[in-house]
Amino acid sequence: MRRVYFDNNATTPVLPEVFEAMQPYFGEHYGNASSIHHHGQETRSAVERARESIAALLGCRASEIVFTSGGTEADNLAIFGTVKDGVGRPLFPAIQPKPHIVTSTIEHHAVLNTCRHLEEQGCEVTYVPVDGRGIIDPADVKRALRPNTKLISVMFANNETGVLQPVAEIGKIAAEADVYFHTDAVQAAGKIPIRVDEIGCDLLTISGHKLHGPQGVGALYVRKGTELAPQMYGGRHERSRRAGTENVPGIVGLGAAAEAALAGFERKEDLKIAELRDRLEAELLRIEACSVNGASQSPHPKIAEGAILRLGHPRGSYPARVPNTTNIRFDGIDGEALVIALDLKGLAVSTGAACSSGAIEPSHVLLAMGLTPEQARASIRFSLGKQNTAEDVEFAAGLVREMVARLRELSPVWGKTATSCKP
Ligand code: PLP
């Protein structure tokens, strides 16, 4: 059966060149990167080469990169590390005044649940809202600042809608207020060019498996001079910022993925993916009663502009979302049923919904954008990757059209209560 994978925001296939780069570090080169002998030196230099490659992707110094086990750990390290006193030292309420964090309602759970945990410990957290397009207003971030604000954590690109946030403006606000700024760039890295100095962030998270690298490895950019308390007991790895023997094959893979991402920008692969995504979106929008969740137009100049102008992309020509994502609501449809029906026919997509305690919860991101729970449950995320082709788009569009029609036919309420949301 033909299978098309449009769930690249969940994870991406490892590129052949990434796999090839990693392979020797599972066998031939097995040293512990902390050992001083030949074997250790061999893997140490591979780790340091990877660090250089990631620094090149983000426009920072290699010494500012800390390897982690993935995006979740990097987000945890950034947030706990800047507001907590570190492993073994007293936490709240010992720290006075209690630190305050500004974050948003649409963050990934790696950030949201970390902030909620700190809130339970007495930390103060403000969750700024988004508008109907899924965009945070930097003025809300500024208004939320308090004398005890320690950290702003706002994501670069949302994982469910792909919508880019005005991180460069937020960076300016943070710098003016002398507050640390962390951005979760897990869904932006490798998809759009990133330069940390243009964003003005102090901390930035990336994850290997979202940019055609391996799962279980990530990195945190930590601007030189940022006070970051380590969150694990152990050795002095990663300049005492993250204890634990380095995952050498994973780190080598992340480095190779970063190099492939940079080479991809040079070949304008990001624009090709955007073209495929736009074609898919246009085809799907021909279906009755459906619409895109999230901003569609070119950004007004506020949105992450400085960060995406590299490599000659003309000003304002970039979409308001990362190039690979579209989130579409099919009125009258149960998203889970559609995902399953499409999977049975060979197309992998996802709902943004999370399953907690056996119940399907509508996406917190779509609810924050003002959708009703029913509308959020009727929404599907399509996320493309480097491996996808025009034929994949054609196959997917045809299949979705067929399955949406079939599910609506079966629906006892479609056509009676469901209303078209098409503008
Ligand atoms: N942040 C965002 C925006 C994500 O999309 C994800 C993964 O879906 C994560 C963080 C967590 O990354 P990881 O899977 O590497 O832990």
Side-chain angles (χ1 to χ4, degrees):
M1 182 170 66
R2 176 176 186 153
R3 287 207 177 267
V4 169
Y5 183 77
F6 277 177
D7 199 14
N8 289 272
N9 284 10
T11 199
T12 52
V14 170
L15 288 172
E17 62 264 41
V18 171
F19 183 62
E20 209 176 297
M22 291 171 72
Q23 251 180 337
Y25 296 91
F26 287 110
E28 208 182 322
H29 306 310
Y30 49 80
N32 182 321
S34 298
S35 302
I36 55 169
H37 48 59
H38 163 80
H39 303 277
Q41 280 177 29
E42 219 168 41
T43 46
R44 168 58 51 203
S45 60
V47 165
E48 296 315 317
R49 274 198 306 276
R51 209 186 295 279
E52 295 281 353
S53 303
I54 293 148
L57 181 71
L58 302 179
C60 64
R61 300 186 188 114
S63 57
E64 294 173 313
I65 296 298
V66 177
F67 289 115
T68 66
S69 65
T72 301
E73 188 194 328
D75 283 345
N76 273 256
L77 177 58
I79 298 168
F80 286 142
T82 44
V83 303
K84 258 172 57 164
D85 242 9
V87 175
R89 304 217 201 110
L91 303 178
F92 325 117
I95 304 171
Q96 292 294 347
K98 285 170 192 153
H100 172 239
I101 301 172
V102 180
T103 187
S104 83
T105 49
I106 58 157
E107 298 299 310
H108 188 271
H109 285 112
V111 167
L112 273 185
N113 288 343
T114 305
C115 289
R116 282 186 193 137
H117 173 74
L118 285 169
E119 229 176 345
E120 284 164 14
Q121 294 196 352
C123 193
E124 296 170 5
V125 183
T126 304
Y127 301 88
V128 296
V130 289
D131 63 16
R133 300 167 303 168
I135 301 173
I136 291 157
D137 184 347
D140 284 338
V141 174
K142 192 167 182 173
R143 265 194 296 276
L145 295 175
R146 300 178 190 168
N148 58 332
T149 306
K150 198 77 202 276
L151 175 73
I152 298 170
S153 181
V154 170
M155 69 197 326
F156 199 141
N158 183 265
N159 43 302
E160 293 184 31
T161 60
V163 171
L164 294 163
Q165 301 304 326
V167 284
E169 285 200 36
I170 296 172
K172 269 193 220 128
I173 292 167
E176 277 163 21
D178 198 18
V179 166
Y180 283 139
F181 176 35
H182 165 245
T183 185
D184 175 341
V186 164
Q187 294 291 349
K191 295 177 186 168
I192 60 167
I194 293 179
R195 312 234 18 119
V196 290
D197 53 347
E198 287 174 351
I199 304 167
C201 58
D202 304 289
L203 302 131
L204 179 145
T205 296
I206 67 166
S207 170
H209 71 115
K210 310 288 185 176
L211 67 150
H212 296 278
Q215 298 173 346
V217 65
L220 182 66
Y221 155 75
V222 184
R223 182 190 294 280
K224 189 171 179 231
T226 304
E227 280 178 36
L228 187 81
Q231 299 300 313
M232 288 197 289
Y233 286 110
R236 294 194 182 156
H237 308 85
E238 299 297 295
R239 296 170 177 243
S240 296
R241 293 171 296 190
R242 196 274 188 179
T245 300
E246 289 91 343
N247 165 10
V248 176
I251 288 170
V252 168
L254 179 55
E259 283 168 26
L262 270 183
F265 291 137
E266 296 294 343
R267 291 194 295 268
K268 303 235 183 289
E269 273 175 18
D270 48 338
L271 300 185
K272 283 181 213 146
I273 292 181
E275 216 177 287
L276 289 181
R277 186 273 315 269
D278 290 347
R279 198 181 306 172
L280 174 71
E281 198 171 279
E283 281 296 318
L284 294 178
L285 288 178
R286 288 170 54 203
I287 298 172
E288 187 194 352
C290 70
S291 55
V292 174
N293 294 318
S296 285
Q297 298 302 311
S298 287
H300 59 90
K302 280 207 246 173
I303 301 172
E305 186 187 66
I308 61 179
L309 287 178
R310 213 155 60 98
L311 301 166
H313 293 302
R315 192 167 285 264
S317 72
Y318 226 91
R321 285 175 271 144
V322 278
N324 78 321
T325 308
T326 184
N327 188 309
I328 300 192
R329 160 181 142 206
F330 301 93
D331 283 350
I333 291 288
D334 174 48
E336 291 295 313
L338 182 55
V339 168
I340 293 164
L342 292 171
D343 187 45
L344 289 171
K345 295 282 183 180
L347 176 64
V349 293
S350 90
T351 62
C355 182
S356 66
S357 1
I360 303 292
E361 303 282 350
S363 146
H364 69 283
V365 175
L366 300 181
L367 294 182
M369 288 163 62
L371 272 71
T372 64
E374 189 189 13
Q375 290 170 332
R377 283 199 188 91
S379 299
I380 298 286
R381 178 184 72 186
F382 301 83
S383 51
L384 281 64
K386 285 181 191 276
Q387 75 283 9
N388 291 126
T389 62
E391 290 73 41
D392 291 347
V393 167
E394 211 172 298
F395 170 79
L399 201 58
V400 174
R401 202 174 302 126
E402 185 190 329
M403 289 301 145
V404 168
R406 197 173 295 178
L407 287 173
R408 281 177 175 164
E409 253 171 47
L410 293 173
S411 162
V413 291
W414 174 248
K416 297 193 182 75
T417 57
T419 51
S420 167
C421 60
K422 257 196 156 165

